[in-house]
Amino acid sequence: MDVVVSAAPAAETLFGAQQGGLLRLMTCGSVDDGKSTLIGRLLHEAQQIQDDQLAALARDSRRHGTTGEEIDFALLMDGLEAEREQGITIDVAYRFATTAKRRFIIADAPGHEQYTRNMATAASNSELAIVLVDARKGVLTQTRRHSFIASLVGVRHIVLAVNKMDLVDFDHGIFQGIARDYAEAVATAGFKSVAAIPISARYGDNVVGRSRRMSWYTGPTLLDYLESVEVEDERRQGMFRMPVQWVNRPNGSFRGYCGTIASGVVRVGHTLAVSGSKMTGTLARIVTLDGDRAEAGAGDAVTLVLSEERDISRGDVLSHMADPVPTSDQFSAHLIWLSDVPLMPGRAYLIKLGTRTVSGSVTRIRHRIDVNTREKLSADTLGLNDVAKVQLSLDRPVAFQPYAESRDLGGLIIIDRQTNATAGVGMIEFALTRAANITWHALDVDRMARAQLKGQSPAVVWFTGLSGSGKSTIANLVEKKLHGMGRHTYMLDGDNVRHGLNRDLGFTEADRVENIRRVSEVSALFADAGLIVLVSFISPYAAEREAARQRLQAGEFVEVFVDTPVDECRRRDPKGLYTKADQGLIRNFTGVSAPYEPPSAPEVHLKTIEAAPEELADQVIEALARRGMLG
């Protein structure tokens, strides 16, 4: 796509005098490119700063500013004390502005690489990005990085603001060269429009008023362009989609489905379909705070009432019957990792897509992307601010659209199950066809039939604890006692499984996660066979133990914490592993060079220094009997 460096007609004649609507935009650029200064100057010259704010800004400029006796407009956005002291933006700052033609939400995003997540957050809520370039430096690696992230999270309109033209004597040739270089840099980014504007944010040239010192530039000023660029109608032109946020039932005679329309237009009388089902219904009413309407479109918060009663709940997506929203549980997606805790393929997370939250995991990292060079790199895990292309697997199908078509139905949030913190954000590319080709076959002989034949209930008894804690010893005793009682069991031991099924895995954190994931799947299959499965693994991470629990039906998972102090484990050290770990011969050894997360509320808590193994095994048998698992 060519960068537009001029636009002859005035904004009023080209776009119409009353464009209206809301434009969400962000600024991005390298350190000292003038992002905050530009927004401050824009707000000032557009008369969006109150007198008392201007007076306070003048005082702050004398204290923190870098422009001598002049007002430092950057301080208007750098609202945090820490930012003012450093002279850099470290957080996303938002400002709201209104002109006669348009309303704006303006985000000033940090330029530093370590704040990639902040920049991505700002971009994901923006329709347009102002990419600032210092006229003295031209297009930098930072410029390419910011443009790549902006394109990745759905920004489709770019203003290339070539700033500090006053420091290059307002040279036309320098501006043209930068515009040409940027056009080459973003040629494959997929932007719908790119407009280059030469400015001096400090002095206001081409920000609101036209610069007399750049008479060679005939295009719109920055404000003219922002007031006239067309972005509003894109979502309304798509197919109708509305994720249901809430079912409103104030009484027995009213049932309304509340939500914000993600795309398209809907009218009373339309026949609507419900995602993931064959249900349809006729739209009888569109209810809003301002009364009933005959029509609603993208961005409208509405309550839809159908003529028929339908079993629709939060997380379902309504669409036109002629174009139902697709569903899948397997996706290819781009992912930006936002957590200090690395992403581990196979680890279970909560994944929020639209208004539905399900369990899922990243099953494969196809490649990590160097955001500076766009080079594709191999990776086993992802760290803070990493960007990658991944495959996702969910525990059930969900309604979706590719992110390029809908941010609302194509953007997902990955949530850490233990801390409930946002760990990553993703953008769906497409559904993987494997989900459509593989289905679970319901068999005539099910788990309960198999268990009843054995006179017991299916169960997975999961022994966890440090190496040397006595897990395998106690688990072995439990199995012997169960076998003597005529119960049908199978034991999965960590070392034994690594001889076959998991022989390809090492002891890195990523391999440990995959080790437990595989064992969780096998134990769930054995439980489906009606067996009492005894699992003896260190299983150091709470997230993986919880994922194993989620693979089973309620009440079938019994977590047994074999609680032995590490000093006692060291004293026992039956395999000499602690000694080797202390000598550096074994890396990533739990309790020495790798962490162990003890269970917070296990079903059975065994303190091995207080009782003999036989007595501890009896405690486990008694716990199973109390739960009715032994028939």
Side-chain angles (χ1 to χ4, degrees):
M1 176 181 292
D2 293 334
V3 176
V4 179
V5 298
S6 65
E12 288 80 4
T13 59
L14 186 59
F15 298 108
Q18 296 296 325
Q19 171 78 5
L22 172 67
L23 176 65
R24 298 171 295 183
L25 64 98
M26 64 170 293
T27 60
C28 53
S30 302
V31 177
D32 295 330
D33 276 350
K35 303 183 303 298
S36 299
T37 300
L38 173 61
I39 297 176
R41 169 66 70 175
L42 182 65
L43 294 175
H44 172 60
E45 295 206 6
Q47 298 181 345
Q48 296 294 302
I49 303 177
Q50 302 297 324
D51 290 342
D52 58 340
Q53 291 178 301
L54 194 61
L57 188 60
R59 290 194 302 270
D60 288 341
S61 297
R62 289 191 291 270
R63 179 182 175 189
H64 300 285
T66 61
T67 56
E69 294 300 315
E70 300 176 0
I71 291 179
D72 187 351
F73 287 103
L75 299 182
L76 187 68
M77 296 300 288
D78 291 340
L80 299 177
E81 188 71 16
E83 295 180 3
R84 296 185 175 194
E85 291 173 354
Q86 295 182 60
I88 61 174
T89 300
I90 62 176
D91 202 353
V92 179
Y94 291 90
R95 289 293 182 271
F96 304 90
T98 303
T99 69
K101 297 180 181 179
R102 199 168 220 168
R103 294 174 293 121
F104 300 93
I105 299 176
I106 307 170
D108 183 19
H112 294 274
E113 187 168 1
Q114 61 264 41
Y115 298 114
T116 296
R117 55 182 173 180
N118 305 57
M119 189 262 177
T121 299
S124 67
N125 292 305
S126 300
E127 295 142 337
L128 178 146
I130 301 174
V131 178
L132 272 85
V133 173
D134 188 323
R136 300 168 299 174
K137 302 174 183 178
V139 176
L140 303 175
T141 299
Q142 290 269 72
T143 313
R144 293 183 173 88
R145 178 168 64 87
H146 293 152
S147 299
F148 170 65
I149 294 174
S151 68
L152 193 66
V153 299
V155 174
R156 290 294 173 259
H157 302 275
I158 295 290
V159 173
L160 176 66
V162 182
N163 193 25
K164 303 188 180 182
M165 288 296 295
D166 53 297
L167 299 182
V168 296
D169 297 324
F170 304 98
D171 189 289
H172 187 196
I174 290 177
F175 169 71
Q176 286 185 313
I178 293 173
R180 187 166 50 249
D181 291 344
Y182 186 76
E184 294 175 0
V186 301
T188 60
F191 295 123
K192 291 185 177 180
S193 69
V194 179
I197 302 175
I199 66 170
S200 171
R202 179 173 180 180
Y203 299 108
D205 292 79
N206 285 340
V207 176
V208 173
R210 187 169 299 280
S211 172
R212 297 178 180 178
R213 297 180 286 189
M214 288 182 278
S215 57
W216 43 263
Y217 173 70
T218 59
T221 66
L222 179 61
L223 182 60
D224 285 341
Y225 186 82
L226 296 179
E227 287 182 327
S228 57
V229 62
E230 293 186 272
V231 298
E232 270 80 24
D233 291 335
E234 293 178 1
R235 290 193 303 165
R236 293 182 69 93
Q237 293 170 359
M239 292 298 179
F240 168 67
R241 304 283 188 261
M242 192 192 85
V244 176
Q245 178 73 25
W246 176 52
V247 179
N248 183 6
R249 293 212 65 187
N251 53 59
S253 62
F254 184 91
R255 183 197 297 262
Y257 308 105
C258 308
T260 299
I261 298 176
S263 63
V265 175
V266 67
R267 297 180 181 87
V268 171
H270 279 173
T271 302
L272 304 184
V274 182
S275 60
S277 75
K278 296 181 179 180
M279 288 190 297
T280 62
T282 304
L283 182 58
R285 296 176 60 190
I286 301 174
V287 182
T288 74
L289 287 175
D290 299 321
D292 281 18
R293 294 164 56 177
E295 174 182 305
D300 291 337
V302 297
T303 297
L304 303 184
V305 180
L306 302 182
S307 299
E308 306 85 357
E309 286 198 9
R310 293 290 184 256
D311 183 15
I312 301 171
S313 59
R314 173 182 167 86
D316 289 331
V317 178
L318 300 177
S319 60
H320 288 141
M321 184 181 67
D323 184 50
V325 62
T327 62
S328 181
D329 59 359
Q330 305 279 334
F331 300 101
S332 174
H334 282 103
L335 183 65
I336 301 176
W337 196 246
L338 308 180
S339 174
D340 293 317
V341 180
L343 164 74
M344 298 296 164
R347 174 166 287 175
Y349 297 93
L350 295 176
I351 298 180
K352 186 175 188 298
L353 180 59
T355 56
R356 174 151 287 167
T357 300
V358 299
S359 181
S361 64
V362 172
T363 56
R364 180 186 176 192
I365 301 174
R366 298 183 64 88
H367 56 255
R368 184 172 66 83
I369 302 171
D370 185 320
V371 294
N372 295 320
T373 65
R374 300 198 186 185
E375 183 182 3
K376 298 177 181 178
L377 308 171
S378 62
D380 295 324
T381 65
L382 297 180
L384 177 65
N385 291 328
D386 278 347
V387 178
K389 186 173 181 178
V390 303
Q391 290 180 191
L392 288 161
S393 177
L394 310 184
D395 67 352
R396 72 198 70 174
V398 296
F400 79 98
Q401 292 283 136
Y403 190 80
E405 299 176 8
S406 172
R407 291 189 185 186
D408 298 274
L409 292 178
L412 56 89
I413 299 171
I414 298 182
I415 302 168
D416 187 294
R417 299 179 70 103
Q418 303 303 310
T419 65
N420 211 36
T422 298
V425 293
M427 290 69 65
I428 291 175
E429 283 192 306
F430 50 83
L432 300 174
T433 56
R434 187 167 66 91
N437 298 333
I438 299 176
T439 59
W440 183 269
H441 287 274
L443 303 176
D444 292 334
V445 180
D446 61 14
R447 66 195 295 119
M448 294 313 300
R450 300 183 189 106
Q452 288 172 4
L453 186 65
K454 298 174 177 63
Q456 61 192 39
S457 296
V460 171
V461 187
W462 193 285
F463 294 82
T464 175
L466 294 171
S467 178
S469 63
K471 299 182 303 299
S472 295
T473 298
I474 298 170
N476 186 52
L477 286 170
V478 170
E479 185 174 33
K480 287 174 63 176
K481 291 176 180 291
L482 290 172
H483 184 73
M485 298 166 63
R487 300 297 176 259
H488 297 256
T489 64
Y490 193 83
M491 182 167 170
L492 295 170
D493 178 78
D495 283 354
N496 292 354
V497 170
R498 283 185 178 272
H499 275 78
L501 176 66
N502 292 349
R503 68 184 303 172
D504 60 318
L505 299 177
F507 291 90
T508 65
E509 185 175 357
D511 282 348
R512 288 176 182 273
V513 169
E514 176 60 14
N515 183 45
I516 300 304
R517 187 195 70 80
R518 294 183 190 179
V519 170
S520 300
E521 295 292 339
V522 171
S523 63
L525 288 173
F526 281 7
D528 193 60
L531 297 176
I532 297 174
V533 190
L534 297 101
V535 180
S536 176
F537 280 70
I538 294 173
S539 46
Y541 305 118
E544 276 60 70
R545 298 194 300 267
E546 179 60 27
R549 183 188 296 273
Q550 296 299 321
R551 288 290 292 112
L552 299 162
Q553 296 184 12
E556 291 184 350
F557 187 89
V558 179
E559 186 175 39
V560 179
F561 178 26
V562 184
D563 187 358
T564 305
V566 67
D567 290 341
E568 176 63 16
C569 293
R570 283 178 174 278
R571 188 190 66 76
R572 298 175 183 176
D573 202 9
K575 304 174 186 177
L577 299 179
Y578 284 94
T579 300
K580 292 179 181 179
D582 290 338
Q583 294 172 350
L585 300 178
I586 300 178
R587 300 178 61 189
N588 302 308
F589 189 75
T590 305
V592 177
S593 53
Y596 177 78
E597 300 172 359
S600 58
E603 279 77 10
V604 182
H605 190 167
L606 305 179
K607 297 184 178 181
T608 64
I609 60 174
E610 297 179 0
E614 283 278 353
E615 182 181 344
L616 297 171
D618 287 338
Q619 291 181 28
V620 176
I621 296 292
E622 290 169 4
L624 298 180
R626 286 196 304 271
R627 287 167 171 76
M629 294 177 169
L630 303 184

